[in-house]
Amino acid sequence: MQFGISIFPTIGPEDKSGRDHFRDALELARLADELGLHHVKTVEHYFFRYGGYSPDPVTFLAAAAARTRRIRLVTGAVIPAFTHPVKLAGQLAMLDNLCRGRLDVGFGRAFLPDEFAAFEISMDDSHSRFREGVEACRRLWSEQDVVWEGGHHRFGPVTLLPRPFQDPHPGILIATSITPESCAAAGRAGYGLMMVPSINKREKTQEMLALYRRARAEAGHDPETGEVHMSYNCYLAEDGAEARRKGRAYSEVTNRVMTDAVAAWGRTGSADYPGYERVLEKVRGSDFDRSLGENKVLVGSPDEVVEKVRVIREWFGDVTLSLQVISGNVPHEESARTVRLFAEHVMPRFTESVPAGTLSA
Amino acid sequence: MQFGISIFPTIGPEDKSGRDHFRDALELARLADELGLHHVKTVEHYFFRYGGYSPDPVTFLAAAAARTRRIRLVTGAVIPAFTHPVKLAGQLAMLDNLCRGRLDVGFGRAFLPDEFAAFEISMDDSHSRFREGVEACRRLWSEQDVVWEGGHHRFGPVTLLPRPFQDPHPGILIATSITPESCAAAGRAGYGLMMVPSINKREKTQEMLALYRRARAEAGHDPETGEVHMSYNCYLAEDGAEARRKGRAYSEVTNRVMTDAVAAWGRTGSADYPGYERVLEKVRGSDFDRSLGENKVLVGSPDEVVEKVRVIREWFGDVTLSLQVISGNVPHEESARTVRLFAEHVMPRFTESVPAGTLSA
Ligand SMILES: [Ca+2]
Ligand SMILES: [Ca+2]
Ligand SMILES: [Ca+2]
Ligand SMILES: [Ca+2]
Ligand SMILES: [Ca+2]
Ligand SMILES: [Ca+2]
């Protein structure tokens, strides 16, 4: 298994200044690099405490690239609907060179109605813009004299500069939360997958994973190489009871923040987002103790978290975990403690690789 | 006077890899920081050797922010026509926090027909998109609950996150090459100015400067604080003859590269760009010896360049010079030598500030 950190801020100016947030986030990236974690990741969101401190993941990752030596840098995710593909592909190619090939690009479709409204984009175009944006980036990275004639963009022939460091292009992962067809499409294309197991039943996550792995195999892609990232809120303390007490409090902050961000779903409907009308009640109904019992949050002492990761590996196979160690406005020292305890006491227990696809029945 | 460096790459993959370019560019930023220069700046361009390695100046500057301590970071320039203002303002606000307030934002209108074509934007909208983009960023940075109802964008109310580090917002400079009205508008708004003296007669540059300073004064802005950046190709060697020989060769490369980039002006006309039909012949007709004689390039021994800077100060007053030290695909060691020689032998001769606006008649 592989383990990284995900910087998912849930703060506004009243909670923490941008200056302090980015200072601390860069320090966590440096620490994760030093301790041998696999990746540092950050999100693209706007306006709300829910990720809004990170409107451009590439800008943060470029600074993190300059402060780290070996850790991979991952967008989790960039939103092609909000940036012209020529700009997005170019910006990511710069980052791939700045970090010398340590970049993996997660692409997301976005799901917050207020973000689409600000970018003057219809949510009903989200699938088509997403597909077009990912494919345009892939071609701009890997081909010359690209002529693009899509439903949303038409340009070319152009040859993108700079060429990416990685040949033919940085790793591509597809972020999906509840849409099985996205998993199958990612598998067919040979891309990796980014999932959020906390928002679905375990069986649904397994079903999406199976769809993804089957589609990969049927399309002839190596089943061993499809990287699956899964995000988990994570809070560790030497004392399990302390971890649960504090982890519960931060989790409640995160849930309040998320409730604000998804409020617009109470007055929104889109054929591209079936079922999202219920997002608000789902977030409101989330319960820390149940999440903990269902291994949807990694909170506890190191030994307790080892046990949870063991179960997750049983369920989902040899996946890559992204630890959300700051969400809930966790004080920096406590986030750093989580990263240290995880690296020292949990990671070493999962060095052996288990073949992907060996799900327990 | 103040002196910085401008990273204006003029290379393609056949000349230098992206990896090597960014490694060297970051090292120059670090060196300039160490030697006390005022700023490091980079451009936004696409596809052509002419700046095409820098499609997103913010991405480079974010990495430079993490490698430097005191030097200012300057976009020279970002192009609002190519990026949605919510994305652009957010990205720049992140950078302003990452560098703790060392950011100045130069905004440009762009002028290469192939770039507009790739972004599917009409050149005839360049002025209106530029004005709208700058003003939308300014308001997103300095106000809350912004409602934007422009000719190209409509959104809000939204409150941008993160809030910029600088209050009310990062410094704003307006890039202009040959358009006097842009200078007056920048002056009225209280913004700084970015100019390229090499492409105009000295008298025209003085006229544009006078327009700018008069408009600033008439609008009640402090005449002492309007920062005027001027870009110059710069190549120093201990031996003046060597500097001229090599500087001439690099200058010829830069001119060939620029000729390719502006070729489309041979088949383009736009009411927003009067006179640009002649850009191609202007570039083709440029002559190194004449440029050197007219102090439009800073090439020579340190003492020779001191004399040129003295004349420039006589002509234009207490401006900020941006030294283009890599253009022409100058080998890194020679760019670093230019920066070192300039910092050690030229800069100390211009420590005294001359009041802006004291142009010799
Ligand atoms: Ca649709
Ligand atoms: Ca070509
Ligand atoms: Ca793996
Ligand atoms: Ca017009
Ligand atoms: Ca508000
Ligand atoms: Ca000054």
Side-chain angles (χ1 to χ4, degrees):
Chain A
M1 285 185 101
Q2 301 179 124
F3 306 95
I5 60 170
S6 175
I7 302 295
F8 197 137
T10 57
I11 48 176
E14 304 79 5
D15 306 310
K16 190 170 184 175
S17 71
R19 178 194 62 182
D20 290 353
H21 165 66
F22 288 108
R23 176 198 63 204
D24 294 347
L26 283 179
E27 171 55 20
L28 289 175
R30 196 205 55 72
L31 181 65
D33 186 52
E34 177 189 312
L35 295 175
L37 276 81
H38 173 259
H39 66 265
V40 56
K41 175 186 287 183
T42 195
V43 297
E44 174 171 337
H45 278 298
Y46 300 85
F47 313 128
F48 295 98
R49 281 182 171 80
Y50 183 78
Y53 265 40
S54 188
D56 189 59
V58 179
T59 297
F60 171 73
L61 294 176
R67 285 278 173 81
T68 55
R69 301 184 69 85
R70 40 145 301 281
I71 199 165
R72 294 196 70 77
L73 307 164
V74 184
T75 63
V78 289
I79 312 299
F82 299 160
T83 304
H84 193 284
V86 161
K87 167 62 82 175
L88 185 57
Q91 180 186 36
L92 289 162
M94 284 180 68
L95 176 57
D96 196 39
N97 281 289
L98 280 161
C99 71
R100 302 181 173 218
R102 293 188 278 134
L103 172 64
D104 291 310
V105 180
F107 288 99
R109 188 161 61 100
F111 75 102
L112 295 179
D114 295 282
E115 295 179 347
F116 280 90
F119 280 96
E120 307 163 84
I121 299 281
S122 167
M123 295 196 87
D124 295 337
D125 290 338
S126 83
H127 277 298
S128 62
R129 283 192 179 270
F130 178 75
R131 278 192 302 265
E132 185 166 341
V134 174
E135 178 63 3
C137 284
R138 190 194 64 75
R139 288 194 55 207
L140 286 164
W141 287 332
S142 54
E143 300 176 18
Q144 307 208 346
D145 298 310
V146 173
V147 177
W148 184 261
E149 301 192 331
H152 301 286
H153 298 292
R154 296 174 71 88
F155 55 82
V158 293
T159 299
L160 186 80
L161 295 181
R163 307 307 299 161
F165 179 92
Q166 295 173 85
D167 185 12
H169 55 70
I172 294 177
L173 299 106
I174 302 299
T176 184
S177 44
I178 63 173
T179 312
E181 307 88 76
S182 303
C183 301
R188 274 193 300 277
Y191 298 151
L193 201 62
M194 282 184 172
M195 309 180 81
V196 188
S198 62
I199 59 170
N200 289 312
K201 285 196 202 313
R202 184 242 295 186
E203 292 77 10
K204 162 124 189 193
T205 299
Q206 288 176 318
E207 193 184 300
M208 289 166 71
L209 257 182
L211 265 175
Y212 168 71
R213 287 174 174 152
R214 195 177 315 129
R216 262 190 82 84
E218 284 174 7
H221 302 292
D222 181 352
E224 295 296 309
T225 56
E227 206 162 90
V228 176
H229 285 222
M230 293 186 168
S231 291
Y232 287 90
N233 280 333
C234 181
Y235 187 92
L236 273 69
E238 284 84 351
D239 176 48
E242 181 200 341
R244 278 184 293 281
R245 183 170 49 80
K246 292 193 169 165
R248 176 195 312 274
Y250 300 130
S251 167
E252 279 163 8
V253 171
T254 302
N255 274 2
R256 274 202 304 278
V257 161
M258 189 163 179
T259 304
D260 287 347
V262 302
W265 273 113
R267 48 182 192 278
T268 306
S270 166
D272 272 24
Y273 293 86
Y276 275 73
E277 299 84 359
R278 290 187 304 277
V279 159
L280 186 53
E281 42 188 288
K282 263 177 127 172
V283 175
R284 279 213 186 106
S286 86
D287 175 83
F288 178 75
D289 292 309
R290 201 174 59 229
S291 293
L292 192 66
E294 295 175 346
N295 302 304
K296 290 180 171 180
V297 294
L298 300 177
V299 171
S301 69
D303 282 348
E304 289 162 351
V305 169
V306 164
E307 197 42 43
K308 288 184 180 303
V309 174
R310 224 188 274 286
V311 173
I312 286 168
R313 185 171 60 175
E314 274 288 302
W315 287 347
F316 305 137
D318 182 18
V319 295
T320 298
L321 302 194
S322 290
L323 313 173
Q324 298 179 159
V325 295
I326 69 164
S327 303
N329 197 11
V330 178
H332 175 66
E333 299 65 32
E334 297 178 31
S335 301
R337 176 176 64 176
T338 289
V339 175
R340 261 190 228 102
L341 290 174
F342 199 98
E344 287 168 18
H345 302 291
V346 184
M347 262 170 48
R349 311 284 284 272
F350 297 93
T351 46
E352 261 174 73
S353 187
V354 170
T358 57
L359 300 180
S360 60
Chain B
M1 285 183 103
Q2 301 178 125
F3 305 96
I5 60 170
S6 176
I7 302 295
F8 198 136
T10 58
I11 49 176
E14 303 79 7
D15 307 310
K16 191 171 183 174
S17 71
R19 178 195 61 183
D20 290 353
H21 164 66
F22 288 108
R23 175 199 62 204
D24 293 347
L26 283 180
E27 171 56 20
L28 289 175
R30 196 205 56 72
L31 181 66
D33 186 52
E34 177 189 311
L35 294 176
L37 276 82
H38 173 259
H39 66 267
V40 55
K41 175 187 287 184
T42 195
V43 298
E44 175 171 337
H45 278 298
Y46 301 84
F47 313 126
F48 295 98
R49 280 181 171 80
Y50 183 77
Y53 266 40
S54 187
D56 190 59
V58 180
T59 297
F60 171 72
L61 294 176
R67 285 279 174 82
T68 55
R69 302 185 67 85
R70 41 144 300 281
I71 199 166
R72 294 196 70 77
L73 307 164
V74 184
T75 63
V78 289
I79 312 300
F82 300 159
T83 305
H84 194 283
V86 161
K87 166 62 79 174
L88 185 57
Q91 180 186 35
L92 289 161
M94 283 180 69
L95 176 57
D96 196 39
N97 281 289
L98 279 161
C99 71
R100 301 180 174 221
R102 294 187 278 134
L103 173 65
D104 291 312
V105 180
F107 288 100
R109 188 160 62 99
F111 74 104
L112 294 179
D114 295 282
E115 295 178 347
F116 280 89
F119 280 97
E120 307 162 84
I121 300 280
S122 167
M123 295 198 85
D124 295 338
D125 290 339
S126 83
H127 277 299
S128 63
R129 283 192 179 267
F130 178 75
R131 280 192 301 266
E132 184 167 342
V134 175
E135 179 63 3
C137 283
R138 191 194 63 75
R139 289 193 56 207
L140 285 164
W141 286 333
S142 54
E143 301 176 17
Q144 307 208 344
D145 298 309
V146 173
V147 176
W148 185 262
E149 301 192 331
H152 300 286
H153 298 290
R154 296 174 70 88
F155 57 82
V158 293
T159 299
L160 185 80
L161 294 181
R163 308 306 299 161
F165 179 92
Q166 294 173 85
D167 186 12
H169 56 69
I172 293 176
L173 299 106
I174 303 298
T176 184
S177 45
I178 63 173
T179 312
E181 308 89 75
S182 302
C183 301
R188 276 193 300 277
Y191 298 150
L193 201 62
M194 282 183 175
M195 309 180 80
V196 187
S198 62
I199 60 170
N200 289 312
K201 285 195 201 311
R202 184 242 296 187
E203 292 76 10
K204 162 124 189 193
T205 299
Q206 288 177 319
E207 194 183 298
M208 289 166 72
L209 258 181
L211 266 176
Y212 167 72
R213 286 173 174 151
R214 195 178 315 129
R216 264 191 80 84
E218 284 174 7
H221 302 292
D222 181 352
E224 295 296 310
T225 56
E227 206 163 272
V228 176
H229 285 223
M230 292 185 168
S231 291
Y232 287 90
N233 280 334
C234 182
Y235 187 93
L236 272 69
E238 285 85 351
D239 175 48
E242 180 199 342
R244 279 185 293 283
R245 183 169 50 79
K246 292 194 170 166
R248 175 195 312 275
Y250 300 130
S251 167
E252 281 163 8
V253 172
T254 302
N255 274 3
R256 274 202 305 278
V257 161
M258 191 164 178
T259 304
D260 286 347
V262 303
W265 272 114
R267 47 182 192 276
T268 308
S270 165
D272 272 26
Y273 293 86
Y276 274 72
E277 299 83 359
R278 291 187 303 279
V279 159
L280 186 53
E281 42 187 287
K282 263 178 129 171
V283 175
R284 278 211 188 108
S286 88
D287 174 85
F288 179 75
D289 292 311
R290 200 173 61 229
S291 294
L292 191 68
E294 293 174 347
N295 302 304
K296 291 180 172 180
V297 295
L298 300 177
V299 171
S301 69
D303 281 349
E304 288 163 352
V305 168
V306 164
E307 197 42 44
K308 289 184 178 303
V309 173
R310 224 188 276 285
V311 173
I312 285 167
R313 185 171 61 176
E314 274 289 301
W315 287 346
F316 305 137
D318 181 18
V319 295
T320 298
L321 302 194
S322 290
L323 314 173
Q324 299 179 158
V325 295
I326 69 163
S327 302
N329 197 11
V330 178
H332 175 66
E333 299 64 32
E334 297 178 31
S335 300
R337 176 175 67 176
T338 289
V339 175
R340 262 190 228 101
L341 289 174
F342 199 98
E344 286 167 20
H345 302 291
V346 185
M347 263 170 48
R349 312 283 284 272
F350 298 93
T351 48
E352 261 174 74
S353 187
V354 171
T358 57
L359 299 181
S360 61

